[in-house]
Amino acid sequence: MGILFLWKRWTSQCDDRIAMFFSGNNIGAQGAAVLASALQRCSQLQSLELADNNIGAEGAAALARALQHCSQLQNLDLRENNTGAEGAAALAAALPHCSQLQYLYLTGNNIGAEGAAALAAALQHIFLIIFV
């Protein structure tokens, strides 16, 4: 509960943040949902690092809905979050809104062939992508 309280307070004034680094905090789906609500106000966000947080498919879906408001995002690190194919598909639906994306890290998410196919289709429309 402590980290969620701090996040709500810290992210409530998110308008001008360009980077957020929350890797390795085991926030889970609930923490991802709290962060997602703040991300909707972070239109200038360029880097979001949430590796190793165990957000699962539910957390990935919450983040995906919020990422549609992050058109300046260049770096997205969601390694080791066990999002599965369902979470990868949710993220794939949001990626076309992230037209500035250059780096996407999804290692250790067990996305399988179905998730990989959804991501590949979405990434076709992002011409700045350098690393997946």
Side-chain angles (χ1 to χ4, degrees):
M1 185 66 175
I3 190 73
L4 296 180
F5 172 78
L6 290 173
W7 272 26
K8 285 179 184 178
R9 190 167 180 156
W10 186 75
T11 57
S12 65
Q13 298 172 353
C14 178
D15 299 338
D16 60 352
R17 297 200 191 282
I18 60 168
M20 290 186 178
F21 305 100
F22 293 119
S23 294
N25 284 295
N26 199 30
I27 64 169
Q30 184 181 8
V34 170
L35 181 59
S37 67
L39 287 178
Q40 294 179 21
R41 295 184 305 277
C42 296
S43 61
Q44 300 304 308
L45 189 66
Q46 295 176 13
S47 183
L48 178 60
E49 296 191 13
L50 291 172
D52 195 24
N53 273 299
N54 197 30
I55 65 171
E58 184 181 339
L63 288 173
R65 288 187 294 275
L67 288 176
Q68 295 180 19
H69 302 280
C70 299
S71 60
Q72 301 302 310
L73 192 66
Q74 297 172 16
N75 177 56
L76 179 59
D77 185 351
L78 295 175
R79 290 176 286 174
E80 305 297 333
N81 274 298
N82 201 30
T83 63
E86 184 181 338
L91 289 168
L95 290 180
H97 299 280
C98 302
S99 60
Q100 301 300 308
L101 191 65
Q102 296 177 27
Y103 299 94
L104 177 62
Y105 301 94
L106 294 172
T107 304
N109 279 297
N110 302 312
I111 64 172
E114 183 181 324
L119 288 165
L123 291 173
Q124 289 181 61
H125 306 289
I126 301 175
F127 300 108
L128 297 176
I129 197 81
I130 295 170
F131 183 81
V132 177

